[in-house]
Amino acid sequence: MTARSLEQLMFDHETEETIRSALDALAELKPPSAKHAEDIICMRDELLIELDLVSGRGRIRAQGSLF
């Protein structure tokens, strides 16, 4: 999975709440193997990036990096 762009998130009608819900669901999982644990960590990281984008923090960080 790759973190979606802001445009994709808007098209999918994602909100901070829906992404936080997905993060909560991932936190409840009990991975049966190290590989599954790695996959969950990757999904969590991508969801955190998406949460930043949806909440506007990602855009602010990107603009700040230009200076």
Side-chain angles (χ1 to χ4, degrees), residues 55-67:
S55 66
R57 292 187 299 253
R59 191 176 327 178
I60 292 167
R61 285 187 190 142
Q63 289 173 350
S65 68
L66 294 175
F67 302 103

Side-chain angles (χ1 to χ4, degrees), residues 2-51:
T2 302
R4 295 169 287 178
S5 69
L6 182 58
E7 291 78 19
Q8 290 169 316
L9 292 166
M10 292 172 64
F11 180 81
D12 292 340
H13 303 286
E14 293 288 1
T15 64
E16 288 183 53
E17 293 78 24
T18 60
I19 296 172
R20 287 184 196 282
S21 176
L23 286 166
D24 291 343
L26 283 178
E28 298 294 320
L29 294 177
K30 306 274 190 257
S33 70
K35 172 65 175 134
H36 285 102
E38 284 180 33
D39 291 345
I40 290 170
I41 290 169
C42 288
M43 284 186 260
R44 181 181 177 277
D45 291 345
E46 291 166 356
L47 285 169
L48 288 171
I49 291 168
E50 292 179 357
L51 181 61

